[in-house]
Amino acid sequence: AAALITGLGLGAAAAYLVAKMLASPAFENDVRGEGYMLRRPSLLSQKNLLGEPAEPSLRKSSDNDGTSAELPPSDDSSHLSEHHLGAWLDDPASHPCWPQKHSAKKVLNPMARARPGMNFLNTDEKVLGSILLNDSKASIRSNALRGNCIRANATEYIFWEPAKVKAVMVTCGGLCPGLNSIIKGVTNCLWHDYNVRKIYGATGGYNGLSAPDKYQMLELNPEVVREIHMKGGSILKAGRGGFDAPKICKSLQQLGINLLFVIGGDGTQFAGHLLYEEARRQRLPISIVGVPKSIDNDVLFVDRTFGFDSAVESAAEVIRNGWVEASSCEKGVGIVKLMGRDAGFVAAHAALASNLVDLCLVPEVKVTMEDVCEHVDDVLKRKKYMVIVVAEGAGQDLVATGEKDATGHTVYGDIGVYLRDTLNKHLKPQGGRTFYIDPSYIIRSVPVTPNDHIYCSRLANNAVHTAMRGYTGVCVGAIHNVICILKSKLIASGKKQIKVKSTTWQSCVQNCHMPHSLSGGAQLAR
Protein backbone atom coordinates (compact mmCIF):
# COMPACT_ATOMS: atom_id res chain seq x y z
CA ALA A 1 0.00 0.00 0.00
CA ALA A 2 2.79 2.42 0.91
CA ALA A 3 4.57 1.73 -2.38
CA LEU A 4 1.38 2.35 -4.35
CA ILE A 5 0.72 5.64 -2.59
CA THR A 6 4.31 6.85 -3.01
CA GLY A 7 4.46 5.83 -6.65
CA LEU A 8 1.25 7.64 -7.52
CA GLY A 9 2.33 10.89 -5.86
CA LEU A 10 -1.20 11.52 -4.65
CA GLY A 11 -2.54 14.52 -2.80
CA ALA A 12 -2.46 14.39 0.98
CA ALA A 13 -6.01 13.28 1.71
CA ALA A 14 -6.17 11.23 -1.50
CA ALA A 15 -3.22 9.12 -0.36
CA TYR A 16 -4.95 8.49 2.95
CA LEU A 17 -8.08 7.45 1.07
CA VAL A 18 -6.11 5.00 -1.08
CA ALA A 19 -5.01 3.21 2.07
CA LYS A 20 -8.64 3.02 3.20
CA MET A 21 -9.69 1.90 -0.27
CA LEU A 22 -7.38 -1.09 -0.10
CA ALA A 23 -9.27 -2.23 2.97
CA SER A 24 -12.70 -1.42 1.57
CA PRO A 25 -13.67 -1.06 -2.12
CA ALA A 26 -16.55 1.30 -1.36
CA PHE A 27 -16.28 4.93 -2.50
CA GLU A 28 -18.58 7.80 -1.84
CA ASN A 29 -20.32 8.84 -5.04
CA ASP A 30 -20.21 12.50 -6.03
CA VAL A 31 -23.43 14.39 -5.39
CA ARG A 32 -23.93 17.23 -7.86
CA GLY A 33 -26.36 20.09 -7.76
CA GLU A 34 -26.77 23.73 -8.70
CA GLY A 35 -23.50 25.38 -7.70
CA TYR A 36 -21.79 22.51 -5.89
CA MET A 37 -20.22 19.08 -6.20
CA LEU A 38 -20.06 17.07 -2.98
CA ARG A 39 -17.19 14.61 -2.97
CA ARG A 40 -17.64 13.60 0.63
CA PRO A 41 -21.41 13.96 1.20
CA SER A 42 -21.26 11.92 4.41
CA LEU A 43 -19.55 14.89 6.09
CA LEU A 44 -22.84 16.79 5.81
CA SER A 45 -26.06 15.65 7.41
CA GLN A 46 -28.98 15.09 5.05
CA LYS A 47 -30.64 18.26 6.34
CA ASN A 48 -27.47 20.22 5.55
CA LEU A 49 -27.12 19.09 1.93
CA LEU A 50 -27.02 22.00 -0.44
CA GLY A 51 -30.20 22.63 -2.36
CA GLU A 52 -32.30 20.71 0.15
CA PRO A 53 -34.98 23.02 1.60
CA ALA A 54 -34.88 23.17 5.36
CA GLU A 55 -37.83 21.77 7.26
CA PRO A 56 -40.20 24.52 8.46
CA SER A 57 -39.18 23.90 12.07
CA LEU A 58 -35.55 24.46 11.14
CA ARG A 59 -35.90 27.59 9.03
CA LYS A 60 -35.47 29.78 12.06
CA SER A 61 -31.70 30.14 12.17
CA SER A 62 -31.33 31.62 15.63
CA ASP A 63 -33.01 33.08 18.64
CA ASN A 64 -32.57 36.65 19.78
CA ASP A 65 -29.41 35.77 21.70
CA GLY A 66 -27.80 34.17 18.68
CA THR A 67 -28.24 30.57 19.85
CA SER A 68 -29.83 27.92 17.69
CA ALA A 69 -31.31 25.49 20.17
CA GLU A 70 -33.59 23.93 17.54
CA LEU A 71 -30.57 22.42 15.77
CA PRO A 72 -28.62 19.44 17.10
CA PRO A 73 -24.96 20.39 17.77
CA SER A 74 -23.68 18.27 14.88
CA ASP A 75 -25.85 20.24 12.42
CA ASP A 76 -25.31 23.66 13.99
CA SER A 77 -22.58 25.61 12.20
CA SER A 78 -21.91 27.77 15.25
CA HIS A 79 -22.01 25.02 17.90
CA LEU A 80 -18.30 24.30 18.21
CA SER A 81 -18.04 22.69 21.63
CA GLU A 82 -16.54 19.59 19.98
CA HIS A 83 -14.05 21.90 18.32
CA HIS A 84 -12.85 23.74 21.40
CA LEU A 85 -10.11 22.24 23.54
CA GLY A 86 -11.90 23.35 26.69
CA ALA A 87 -14.96 21.24 25.87
CA TRP A 88 -14.08 18.86 23.03
CA LEU A 89 -14.29 15.74 25.18
CA ASP A 90 -17.66 16.70 26.69
CA ASP A 91 -21.04 15.56 25.47
CA PRO A 92 -22.08 18.38 23.09
CA ALA A 93 -25.59 18.19 24.57
CA SER A 94 -24.10 19.36 27.89
CA HIS A 95 -23.46 22.73 26.21
CA PRO A 96 -26.93 23.78 25.01
CA CYS A 97 -25.57 27.23 24.18
CA TRP A 98 -22.30 27.72 22.37
CA PRO A 99 -20.10 29.62 22.50
CA GLN A 100 -20.18 30.34 26.19
CA LYS A 101 -19.90 34.00 27.02
CA HIS A 102 -17.26 33.35 29.65
CA SER A 103 -14.42 30.93 29.00
CA ALA A 104 -13.56 28.45 31.75
CA LYS A 105 -9.87 29.11 31.12
CA LYS A 106 -8.94 32.78 31.32
CA VAL A 107 -5.56 33.76 29.94
CA LEU A 108 -5.32 37.48 29.29
CA ASN A 109 -4.50 38.27 25.70
CA PRO A 110 -1.05 39.94 25.54
CA MET A 111 -2.51 42.58 23.23
CA ALA A 112 -4.77 43.74 26.07
CA ARG A 113 -1.65 44.92 27.94
CA ALA A 114 0.31 46.09 24.90
CA ARG A 115 -2.55 48.04 23.31
CA PRO A 116 -4.85 49.54 25.94
CA GLY A 117 -8.25 50.39 24.51
CA MET A 118 -8.01 47.84 21.70
CA ASN A 119 -11.37 46.43 20.67
CA PHE A 120 -11.83 42.70 21.27
CA LEU A 121 -14.66 40.50 20.01
CA ASN A 122 -17.33 39.09 22.25
CA THR A 123 -16.71 35.34 22.40
CA ASP A 124 -20.29 34.71 21.27
CA GLU A 125 -20.18 37.17 18.36
CA LYS A 126 -21.74 35.62 15.25
CA VAL A 127 -22.26 36.29 11.56
CA LEU A 128 -25.58 35.42 9.91
CA GLY A 129 -25.44 32.50 7.51
CA SER A 130 -27.80 34.34 5.15
CA ILE A 131 -28.39 38.07 4.88
CA LEU A 132 -31.13 37.93 2.24
CA LEU A 133 -34.87 38.33 2.71
CA ASN A 134 -37.38 37.05 0.14
CA ASP A 135 -34.50 35.28 -1.63
CA SER A 136 -35.30 34.41 -5.27
CA LYS A 137 -32.80 31.52 -5.12
CA ALA A 138 -33.74 30.14 -1.70
CA SER A 139 -34.40 26.68 -3.16
CA ILE A 140 -30.76 26.26 -4.18
CA ARG A 141 -29.12 27.79 -1.12
CA SER A 142 -27.23 25.71 1.41
CA ASN A 143 -28.71 25.06 4.83
CA ALA A 144 -25.33 24.19 6.33
CA LEU A 145 -24.85 27.69 7.78
CA ARG A 146 -28.37 28.21 9.04
CA GLY A 147 -27.01 28.09 12.60
CA ASN A 148 -24.85 31.12 11.68
CA CYS A 149 -21.09 31.28 12.21
CA ILE A 150 -18.84 32.30 15.08
CA ARG A 151 -16.78 35.31 14.16
CA ALA A 152 -13.01 34.88 14.15
CA ASN A 153 -10.51 37.56 15.33
CA ALA A 154 -9.06 38.35 18.74
CA THR A 155 -10.78 38.08 22.11
CA GLU A 156 -9.64 39.60 25.40
CA TYR A 157 -9.15 36.21 27.00
CA ILE A 158 -7.59 33.24 25.23
CA PHE A 159 -7.07 29.53 25.84
CA TRP A 160 -3.34 29.10 25.30
CA GLU A 161 -0.59 30.57 27.48
CA PRO A 162 1.62 32.21 24.81
CA ALA A 163 4.88 31.28 26.58
CA LYS A 164 3.93 27.60 26.24
CA VAL A 165 2.95 27.72 22.58
CA LYS A 166 4.96 25.92 19.92
CA ALA A 167 3.47 26.40 16.48
CA VAL A 168 4.02 24.83 13.08
CA MET A 169 2.46 25.52 9.69
CA VAL A 170 2.33 23.44 6.51
CA THR A 171 1.39 24.22 2.89
CA CYS A 172 -0.07 21.29 0.94
CA GLY A 173 -1.09 20.57 -2.63
CA GLY A 174 -0.20 22.79 -5.58
CA LEU A 175 1.03 26.35 -5.59
CA CYS A 176 -1.25 29.34 -5.29
CA PRO A 177 -0.56 33.09 -5.17
CA GLY A 178 -0.51 34.24 -1.55
CA LEU A 179 1.00 31.19 0.15
CA ASN A 180 3.99 33.22 1.29
CA SER A 181 1.68 36.01 2.44
CA ILE A 182 -0.17 33.52 4.67
CA ILE A 183 3.13 32.19 6.05
CA LYS A 184 4.31 35.72 6.75
CA GLY A 185 1.01 36.75 8.32
CA VAL A 186 0.83 33.76 10.67
CA THR A 187 4.46 34.19 11.72
CA ASN A 188 4.17 37.92 12.39
CA CYS A 189 0.89 37.63 14.28
CA LEU A 190 2.25 34.90 16.56
CA TRP A 191 5.52 36.80 17.09
CA HIS A 192 4.35 40.38 17.49
CA ASP A 193 0.82 40.00 18.88
CA TYR A 194 1.23 36.94 21.12
CA ASN A 195 4.98 36.96 21.83
CA VAL A 196 5.33 33.37 20.60
CA ARG A 197 8.96 32.56 19.79
CA LYS A 198 8.77 28.91 18.77
CA ILE A 199 7.39 29.05 15.24
CA TYR A 200 8.22 26.49 12.55
CA GLY A 201 7.36 25.60 8.99
CA ALA A 202 7.20 21.96 7.90
CA THR A 203 8.44 21.52 4.32
CA GLY A 204 7.05 19.20 1.68
CA GLY A 205 3.41 19.27 2.78
CA TYR A 206 2.23 16.59 5.18
CA ASN A 207 5.45 14.68 4.46
CA GLY A 208 7.26 17.13 6.69
CA LEU A 209 4.97 16.24 9.60
CA SER A 210 4.82 12.48 9.14
CA ALA A 211 8.59 12.20 8.60
CA PRO A 212 10.19 15.29 10.20
CA ASP A 213 13.56 13.55 10.27
CA LYS A 214 13.59 13.40 6.45
CA TYR A 215 12.27 16.88 5.68
CA GLN A 216 13.69 20.21 6.76
CA MET A 217 11.82 22.04 9.50
CA LEU A 218 12.31 25.78 9.03
CA GLU A 219 12.48 28.05 12.05
CA LEU A 220 10.40 31.13 11.27
CA ASN A 221 10.64 34.66 12.60
CA PRO A 222 9.93 38.17 11.26
CA GLU A 223 13.39 38.44 9.70
CA VAL A 224 13.00 35.18 7.76
CA VAL A 225 9.56 36.13 6.38
CA ARG A 226 10.18 39.86 5.87
CA GLU A 227 10.21 39.85 2.05
CA ILE A 228 8.72 36.50 1.11
CA HIS A 229 5.37 38.02 0.06
CA MET A 230 7.18 39.69 -2.84
CA LYS A 231 7.54 36.40 -4.73
CA GLY A 232 5.25 33.56 -5.75
CA GLY A 233 5.35 29.99 -4.57
CA SER A 234 5.93 28.79 -1.02
CA ILE A 235 9.13 28.92 1.02
CA LEU A 236 7.86 25.71 2.65
CA LYS A 237 7.83 23.89 -0.70
CA ALA A 238 4.19 22.83 -0.94
CA GLY A 239 3.94 19.09 -1.47
CA ARG A 240 1.55 16.19 -1.96
CA GLY A 241 1.27 12.86 -0.20
CA GLY A 242 2.60 11.83 3.17
CA PHE A 243 -0.62 11.98 5.15
CA ASP A 244 -0.83 9.50 8.01
CA ALA A 245 -2.93 10.77 10.91
CA PRO A 246 -1.55 8.52 13.71
CA LYS A 247 2.04 9.10 12.60
CA ILE A 248 1.57 12.87 12.37
CA CYS A 249 -0.03 12.99 15.83
CA LYS A 250 2.94 11.08 17.19
CA SER A 251 5.36 13.51 15.54
CA LEU A 252 3.48 16.55 16.84
CA GLN A 253 3.50 15.12 20.35
CA GLN A 254 7.23 14.35 20.20
CA LEU A 255 7.98 17.82 18.88
CA GLY A 256 5.81 19.46 21.54
CA ILE A 257 3.61 21.20 18.94
CA ASN A 258 0.29 22.54 20.21
CA LEU A 259 -0.71 24.83 17.30
CA LEU A 260 -0.90 23.53 13.73
CA PHE A 261 -1.87 25.69 10.75
CA VAL A 262 -2.93 23.74 7.66
CA ILE A 263 -2.87 25.69 4.39
CA GLY A 264 -4.45 23.89 1.44
CA GLY A 265 -7.57 22.99 -0.53
CA ASP A 266 -10.58 20.83 0.28
CA GLY A 267 -8.48 17.64 0.20
CA THR A 268 -5.95 19.13 2.58
CA GLN A 269 -8.71 20.33 4.90
CA PHE A 270 -10.27 16.86 4.78
CA ALA A 271 -6.92 15.54 5.96
CA GLY A 272 -6.96 18.25 8.65
CA HIS A 273 -10.39 17.02 9.74
CA LEU A 274 -9.12 13.44 9.94
CA LEU A 275 -6.12 14.65 11.93
CA TYR A 276 -8.42 16.49 14.34
CA GLU A 277 -10.46 13.31 14.81
CA GLU A 278 -7.31 11.30 15.51
CA ALA A 279 -6.01 13.88 17.98
CA ARG A 280 -9.37 13.87 19.72
CA ARG A 281 -9.34 10.08 19.88
CA GLN A 282 -5.87 10.22 21.45
CA ARG A 283 -6.91 13.16 23.68
CA LEU A 284 -3.97 15.11 22.29
CA PRO A 285 -4.66 18.85 22.84
CA ILE A 286 -3.62 20.55 19.60
CA SER A 287 -5.31 23.50 17.92
CA ILE A 288 -5.60 22.51 14.26
CA VAL A 289 -6.72 25.48 12.16
CA GLY A 290 -7.00 25.47 8.38
CA VAL A 291 -6.68 28.29 5.86
CA PRO A 292 -8.50 27.05 2.72
CA LYS A 293 -6.55 27.48 -0.52
CA SER A 294 -7.85 27.24 -4.08
CA ILE A 295 -6.80 29.10 -7.17
CA ASP A 296 -10.15 28.01 -8.67
CA ASN A 297 -12.19 29.69 -5.88
CA ASP A 298 -14.09 26.42 -5.51
CA VAL A 299 -14.11 26.16 -1.69
CA LEU A 300 -17.63 25.72 -0.35
CA PHE A 301 -19.37 28.29 1.84
CA VAL A 302 -16.72 31.05 1.84
CA ASP A 303 -16.94 34.21 -0.27
CA ARG A 304 -13.63 33.64 -1.99
CA THR A 305 -10.26 32.00 -1.52
CA PHE A 306 -6.89 33.71 -1.37
CA GLY A 307 -4.93 33.67 -4.62
CA PHE A 308 -8.04 33.82 -6.77
CA ASP A 309 -7.87 37.56 -7.46
CA SER A 310 -4.18 37.27 -8.36
CA ALA A 311 -4.91 34.39 -10.74
CA VAL A 312 -7.73 36.32 -12.41
CA GLU A 313 -5.49 39.35 -12.95
CA SER A 314 -2.79 37.16 -14.50
CA ALA A 315 -5.35 35.33 -16.63
CA ALA A 316 -6.81 38.62 -17.89
CA GLU A 317 -3.35 39.59 -19.15
CA VAL A 318 -3.11 36.31 -21.07
CA ILE A 319 -6.54 36.94 -22.59
CA ARG A 320 -5.25 40.31 -23.82
CA ASN A 321 -2.42 38.45 -25.55
CA GLY A 322 -4.95 36.17 -27.22
CA TRP A 323 -6.94 39.21 -28.30
CA VAL A 324 -3.85 40.81 -29.87
CA GLU A 325 -3.14 37.66 -31.87
CA ALA A 326 -6.74 37.20 -32.99
CA SER A 327 -7.42 40.84 -33.86
CA SER A 328 -4.20 41.03 -35.90
CA CYS A 329 -5.36 38.33 -38.29
CA GLU A 330 -8.28 38.09 -40.68
CA LYS A 331 -10.77 35.65 -39.18
CA GLY A 332 -8.46 34.96 -36.27
CA VAL A 333 -9.80 33.12 -33.21
CA GLY A 334 -7.81 33.38 -30.00
CA ILE A 335 -8.33 30.45 -27.62
CA VAL A 336 -7.11 30.72 -24.03
CA LYS A 337 -7.34 27.68 -21.74
CA LEU A 338 -7.39 28.51 -18.06
CA MET A 339 -7.38 26.53 -14.84
CA GLY A 340 -10.73 25.29 -13.57
CA ARG A 341 -11.10 21.54 -13.37
CA ASP A 342 -14.53 21.46 -11.77
CA ALA A 343 -15.41 25.16 -11.50
CA GLY A 344 -15.25 27.97 -14.02
CA PHE A 345 -14.75 30.92 -11.67
CA VAL A 346 -11.30 31.86 -13.04
CA ALA A 347 -12.52 31.72 -16.64
CA ALA A 348 -15.71 33.68 -15.97
CA HIS A 349 -14.07 36.37 -13.84
CA ALA A 350 -11.12 36.75 -16.21
CA ALA A 351 -13.55 37.12 -19.11
CA LEU A 352 -15.39 39.85 -17.24
CA ALA A 353 -12.14 41.55 -16.19
CA SER A 354 -10.67 41.63 -19.70
CA ASN A 355 -13.94 42.64 -21.43
CA LEU A 356 -12.54 41.10 -24.64
CA VAL A 357 -14.14 37.66 -24.67
CA ASP A 358 -16.84 36.43 -27.06
CA LEU A 359 -17.33 32.94 -25.64
CA CYS A 360 -16.62 31.54 -22.19
CA LEU A 361 -16.84 27.78 -21.70
CA VAL A 362 -17.02 26.43 -18.14
CA PRO A 363 -17.49 22.96 -16.60
CA GLU A 364 -20.93 23.86 -15.28
CA VAL A 365 -22.47 24.42 -18.72
CA LYS A 366 -22.73 21.72 -21.37
CA VAL A 367 -22.36 22.75 -25.01
CA THR A 368 -22.21 21.15 -28.46
CA MET A 369 -19.56 21.87 -31.06
CA GLU A 370 -22.30 22.61 -33.57
CA ASP A 371 -23.47 25.50 -31.40
CA VAL A 372 -19.88 26.64 -30.81
CA CYS A 373 -19.10 26.68 -34.54
CA GLU A 374 -22.30 28.55 -35.32
CA HIS A 375 -21.44 31.22 -32.75
CA VAL A 376 -17.87 31.47 -34.11
CA ASP A 377 -19.23 32.09 -37.61
CA ASP A 378 -21.64 34.75 -36.36
CA VAL A 379 -18.94 36.61 -34.41
CA LEU A 380 -16.42 36.48 -37.28
CA LYS A 381 -19.05 37.81 -39.65
CA ARG A 382 -19.75 40.67 -37.28
CA LYS A 383 -16.26 41.70 -36.09
CA LYS A 384 -13.74 39.65 -38.15
CA TYR A 385 -12.02 38.10 -35.10
CA MET A 386 -12.97 36.36 -31.86
CA VAL A 387 -11.63 35.44 -28.41
CA ILE A 388 -12.63 32.25 -26.60
CA VAL A 389 -11.83 31.39 -22.98
CA VAL A 390 -12.21 27.79 -21.90
CA ALA A 391 -11.78 26.29 -18.44
CA GLU A 392 -9.80 23.05 -18.42
CA GLY A 393 -12.78 21.07 -17.11
CA ALA A 394 -15.28 22.33 -19.68
CA GLY A 395 -16.71 20.12 -22.41
CA GLN A 396 -15.53 16.87 -20.88
CA ASP A 397 -18.36 14.99 -22.59
CA LEU A 398 -16.61 15.91 -25.86
CA VAL A 399 -13.17 14.67 -24.80
CA ALA A 400 -13.99 11.93 -22.29
CA THR A 401 -11.09 9.58 -21.61
CA GLY A 402 -13.16 6.92 -19.86
CA GLU A 403 -10.31 6.55 -17.38
CA LYS A 404 -10.19 6.85 -13.60
CA ASP A 405 -7.22 7.68 -11.40
CA ALA A 406 -6.28 5.70 -8.30
CA THR A 407 -8.70 7.70 -6.14
CA GLY A 408 -11.65 6.94 -8.40
CA HIS A 409 -11.84 10.39 -9.99
CA THR A 410 -12.17 10.88 -13.74
CA VAL A 411 -9.07 11.59 -15.83
CA TYR A 412 -10.00 14.65 -17.88
CA GLY A 413 -9.32 15.06 -21.60
CA ASP A 414 -7.69 18.17 -23.08
CA ILE A 415 -10.58 20.39 -24.15
CA GLY A 416 -8.23 23.19 -25.24
CA VAL A 417 -6.42 21.10 -27.86
CA TYR A 418 -9.71 19.58 -29.01
CA LEU A 419 -11.23 23.03 -29.44
CA ARG A 420 -8.17 24.28 -31.32
CA ASP A 421 -8.07 21.33 -33.73
CA THR A 422 -11.82 21.26 -34.32
CA LEU A 423 -12.05 25.00 -35.01
CA ASN A 424 -8.95 24.98 -37.25
CA LYS A 425 -10.63 22.33 -39.37
CA HIS A 426 -13.84 24.37 -39.44
CA LEU A 427 -12.11 27.67 -40.24
CA LYS A 428 -9.58 26.52 -42.82
CA PRO A 429 -11.99 26.58 -45.81
CA GLN A 430 -12.92 30.16 -44.84
CA GLY A 431 -9.31 31.31 -44.59
CA GLY A 432 -9.42 31.55 -40.80
CA ARG A 433 -7.27 30.05 -38.07
CA THR A 434 -6.88 29.81 -34.29
CA PHE A 435 -4.22 31.07 -31.92
CA TYR A 436 -4.06 28.72 -28.93
CA ILE A 437 -2.57 29.83 -25.60
CA ASP A 438 -2.30 27.57 -22.58
CA PRO A 439 -0.70 29.53 -19.70
CA SER A 440 -1.03 26.44 -17.50
CA TYR A 441 0.91 26.97 -14.25
CA ILE A 442 1.89 30.55 -15.08
CA ILE A 443 -1.20 32.06 -13.44
CA ARG A 444 -0.64 30.16 -10.18
CA SER A 445 3.06 31.01 -9.80
CA VAL A 446 2.73 34.81 -9.97
CA PRO A 447 3.36 37.02 -6.93
CA VAL A 448 0.28 37.95 -4.96
CA THR A 449 -1.50 41.20 -5.89
CA PRO A 450 -1.88 43.98 -3.26
CA ASN A 451 -5.58 43.37 -2.59
CA ASP A 452 -5.01 39.63 -2.38
CA HIS A 453 -2.13 40.19 0.04
CA ILE A 454 -4.39 42.24 2.30
CA TYR A 455 -6.93 39.40 2.25
CA CYS A 456 -4.18 36.89 3.06
CA SER A 457 -3.13 39.01 6.03
CA ARG A 458 -6.71 39.02 7.33
CA LEU A 459 -6.97 35.25 7.00
CA ALA A 460 -3.57 34.66 8.60
CA ASN A 461 -4.26 36.92 11.58
CA ASN A 462 -7.67 35.38 12.17
CA ALA A 463 -6.26 31.85 11.92
CA VAL A 464 -3.85 32.71 14.73
CA HIS A 465 -6.54 34.35 16.86
CA THR A 466 -8.78 31.31 16.34
CA ALA A 467 -6.04 28.90 17.39
CA MET A 468 -5.09 30.96 20.45
CA ARG A 469 -8.76 30.93 21.51
CA GLY A 470 -8.50 27.12 21.70
CA TYR A 471 -10.45 26.07 18.61
CA THR A 472 -9.44 22.97 16.66
CA GLY A 473 -10.63 21.05 13.61
CA VAL A 474 -11.79 24.31 12.05
CA CYS A 475 -11.00 26.63 9.15
CA VAL A 476 -11.21 30.38 8.73
CA GLY A 477 -12.88 32.05 5.77
CA ALA A 478 -14.84 35.12 4.76
CA ILE A 479 -18.65 35.04 4.93
CA HIS A 480 -20.25 38.32 3.85
CA ASN A 481 -16.69 39.71 3.99
CA VAL A 482 -16.35 38.91 7.71
CA ILE A 483 -13.79 36.27 8.67
CA CYS A 484 -15.56 33.40 10.43
CA ILE A 485 -14.78 30.03 11.99
CA LEU A 486 -16.10 26.99 10.11
CA LYS A 487 -15.89 23.29 10.88
CA SER A 488 -13.24 21.76 8.64
CA LYS A 489 -15.61 18.98 7.61
CA LEU A 490 -17.87 21.57 5.96
CA ILE A 491 -14.99 22.86 3.83
CA ALA A 492 -13.90 19.28 3.08
CA SER A 493 -17.32 18.05 1.98
CA GLY A 494 -16.94 19.11 -1.66
CA LYS A 495 -16.36 21.93 -4.11
CA LYS A 496 -18.23 25.09 -5.01
CA GLN A 497 -19.25 25.60 -8.63
CA ILE A 498 -20.74 28.43 -10.65
CA LYS A 499 -24.50 28.64 -10.43
CA VAL A 500 -25.90 29.24 -13.91
CA LYS A 501 -28.56 31.40 -12.24
CA SER A 502 -25.95 33.53 -10.49
CA THR A 503 -25.39 37.19 -11.25
CA THR A 504 -21.74 36.45 -12.05
CA TRP A 505 -22.51 33.93 -14.76
CA GLN A 506 -25.40 35.87 -16.24
CA SER A 507 -23.18 38.98 -16.35
CA CYS A 508 -20.53 36.94 -18.16
CA VAL A 509 -23.08 35.69 -20.69
CA GLN A 510 -24.31 39.21 -21.34
CA ASN A 511 -20.82 40.70 -21.49
CA CYS A 512 -19.68 38.10 -24.02
CA HIS A 513 -22.93 38.32 -26.04
CA MET A 514 -23.26 34.54 -25.86
CA PRO A 515 -26.33 32.93 -27.43
CA HIS A 516 -28.90 31.07 -25.37
CA SER A 517 -27.58 27.71 -26.62
CA LEU A 518 -24.14 28.32 -25.05
CA SER A 519 -25.22 30.05 -21.85
CA GLY A 520 -26.75 27.14 -20.00
CA GLY A 521 -30.20 28.27 -21.09
CA ALA A 522 -31.68 24.81 -20.71
CA GLN A 523 -30.41 24.71 -17.14
CA LEU A 524 -31.74 28.21 -16.47
CA ALA A 525 -35.18 27.13 -17.60
CA ARG A 526 -35.43 24.46 -14.89
Side-chain angles (χ1 to χ4, degrees):
L4 174 62
I5 292 169
T6 303
L8 292 171
L10 300 174
Y16 188 79
L17 286 175
V18 168
K20 298 185 78 173
M21 177 194 70
L22 297 177
S24 171
F27 273 99
E28 288 195 75
N29 294 320
D30 289 352
V31 176
R32 293 176 182 264
E34 175 70 9
Y36 67 88
M37 178 178 68
L38 297 182
R39 286 186 165 169
R40 307 171 190 94
S42 64
L43 293 178
L44 292 176
S45 71
Q46 186 64 36
K47 291 176 181 177
N48 274 349
L49 287 178
L50 286 79
E52 292 288 334
E55 296 176 4
S57 62
L58 296 179
R59 289 189 183 276
K60 183 180 179 184
S61 61
S62 63
D63 296 323
N64 291 333
D65 63 354
T67 62
S68 44
E70 295 166 325
L71 301 174
S74 61
D75 292 348
D76 190 338
S77 49
S78 66
H79 197 294
L80 301 180
S81 66
E82 290 181 291
H83 295 268
H84 192 278
L85 293 172
W88 69 333
L89 300 179
D90 300 344
D91 179 357
S94 67
H95 300 282
C97 296
W98 189 271
Q100 298 166 334
K101 293 186 178 182
H102 303 289
S103 173
K105 185 173 182 180
K106 289 190 175 182
V107 176
L108 185 64
N109 193 319
M111 289 186 285
R113 297 190 188 94
R115 300 170 184 169
M118 176 178 173
N119 182 71
F120 290 102
L121 296 187
N122 296 320
T123 58
D124 58 350
E125 202 161 322
K126 296 184 182 182
V127 174
L128 294 175
S130 175
I131 58 174
L132 297 176
L133 295 175
N134 307 317
D135 185 6
S136 63
K137 290 178 278 192
S139 63
I140 60 173
R141 301 287 188 196
S142 165
N143 294 310
L145 305 184
R146 67 183 183 273
N148 305 323
C149 297
I150 297 175
R151 190 176 177 186
N153 216 319
T155 52
E156 186 175 6
Y157 291 94
I158 56 179
F159 178 85
W160 290 105
E161 180 66 53
K164 297 179 181 179
V165 167
K166 190 174 184 180
V168 67
M169 64 193 83
V170 61
T171 56
C172 302
L175 295 182
C176 178
L179 283 171
N180 282 334
S181 293
I182 296 289
I183 296 167
K184 176 176 181 175
V186 170
T187 301
N188 283 340
C189 187
L190 284 167
W191 187 281
H192 294 300
D193 294 338
Y194 289 98
N195 302 320
V196 174
R197 294 296 181 263
K198 297 177 181 178
I199 311 169
Y200 302 90
T203 59
Y206 279 119
N207 296 286
L209 295 178
S210 59
D213 55 325
K214 296 180 181 179
Y215 290 82
Q216 183 183 11
M217 187 74 74
L218 295 182
E219 187 170 352
L220 301 175
N221 57 55
E223 184 177 352
V224 171
V225 302
R226 181 170 293 131
E227 298 176 355
I228 63 173
H229 66 292
M230 302 296 289
K231 62 180 182 179
S234 167
I235 63 167
L236 300 183
K237 305 185 187 304
R240 302 181 186 276
F243 183 74
D244 185 317
K247 187 180 290 186
I248 291 175
C249 281
K250 182 178 179 180
S251 296
L252 294 174
Q253 189 172 27
Q254 290 175 341
L255 293 169
I257 300 296
N258 45 26
L259 264 65
L260 170 62
F261 299 95
V262 178
I263 309 161
D266 68 291
T268 298
Q269 302 310 330
F270 178 46
H273 170 69
L274 296 175
L275 190 59
Y276 149 74
E277 288 190 327
E278 179 63 24
R280 189 165 179 251
R281 187 188 68 80
Q282 295 186 21
R283 301 194 173 196
L284 184 62
I286 300 176
S287 283
I288 302 170
V289 177
V291 182
K293 164 188 73 70
S294 171
I295 198 171
D296 294 334
N297 196 38
D298 58 1
V299 172
L300 283 170
F301 306 117
V302 300
D303 296 347
R304 63 186 172 98
T305 51
F306 75 86
F308 174 65
D309 281 359
S310 301
V312 168
E313 180 173 315
S314 179
E317 287 293 335
V318 176
I319 291 173
R320 291 187 189 102
N321 294 334
W323 167 74
V324 169
E325 292 286 354
S327 61
S328 299
C329 173
E330 188 71 19
K331 296 185 178 180
V333 177
I335 303 173
V336 178
K337 186 177 85 169
L338 298 174
M339 285 186 162
R341 177 180 167 85
D342 298 305
F345 291 105
V346 172
H349 282 253
L352 285 167
S354 68
N355 205 23
L356 297 169
V357 178
D358 303 289
L359 174 61
C360 182
L361 301 176
V362 296
E364 296 86 346
V365 176
K366 287 188 176 183
V367 300
T368 66
M369 278 309 300
E370 290 78 8
D371 288 334
V372 169
C373 289
E374 183 179 346
H375 182 51
V376 169
D377 291 341
D378 289 344
V379 174
L380 291 180
K381 183 178 180 180
R382 174 167 52 88
K383 56 188 284 191
K384 309 303 182 185
Y385 69 89
M386 180 180 187
V387 177
I388 300 174
V389 168
V390 56
E392 61 181 313
Q396 287 303 305
D397 55 320
L398 303 174
V399 292
T401 65
E403 300 175 8
K404 299 276 187 179
D405 64 19
T407 63
H409 294 134
T410 302
V411 176
Y412 283 8
D414 194 329
I415 184 62
V417 171
Y418 173 82
L419 201 60
R420 178 198 66 190
D421 295 345
T422 303
L423 287 180
N424 272 335
K425 184 177 179 180
H426 175 74
L427 292 170
K428 189 174 181 179
Q430 309 173 34
R433 58 162 296 187
T434 67
F435 298 87
Y436 179 58
I437 302 176
D438 180 2
S440 188
Y441 294 127
I442 291 175
I443 69 169
R444 78 174 198 176
S445 60
V446 297
V448 68
T449 59
N451 278 337
D452 228 347
H453 175 68
I454 292 172
Y455 185 52
C456 287
S457 298
R458 292 178 63 201
L459 291 171
N461 290 342
N462 280 276
V464 172
H465 299 321
T466 298
M468 293 301 292
R469 288 167 64 179
Y471 283 104
T472 184
V474 298
C475 293
V476 294
I479 297 177
H480 315 312
N481 200 33
V482 179
I483 309 298
C484 298
I485 305 173
L486 293 155
K487 298 175 184 179
S488 294
K489 68 178 183 179
L490 290 178
I491 298 298
S493 61
K495 291 181 179 293
K496 178 172 66 177
Q497 294 183 304
I498 288 178
K499 294 182 176 73
V500 294
K501 293 183 179 180
S502 68
T503 301
T504 296
W505 178 244
Q506 292 186 19
S507 295
C508 185
V509 168
Q510 294 161 0
N511 189 275
C512 298
H513 303 291
M514 290 161 56
H516 186 71
S517 59
L518 297 174
S519 66
Q523 294 161 249
L524 285 170
R526 290 177 187 171

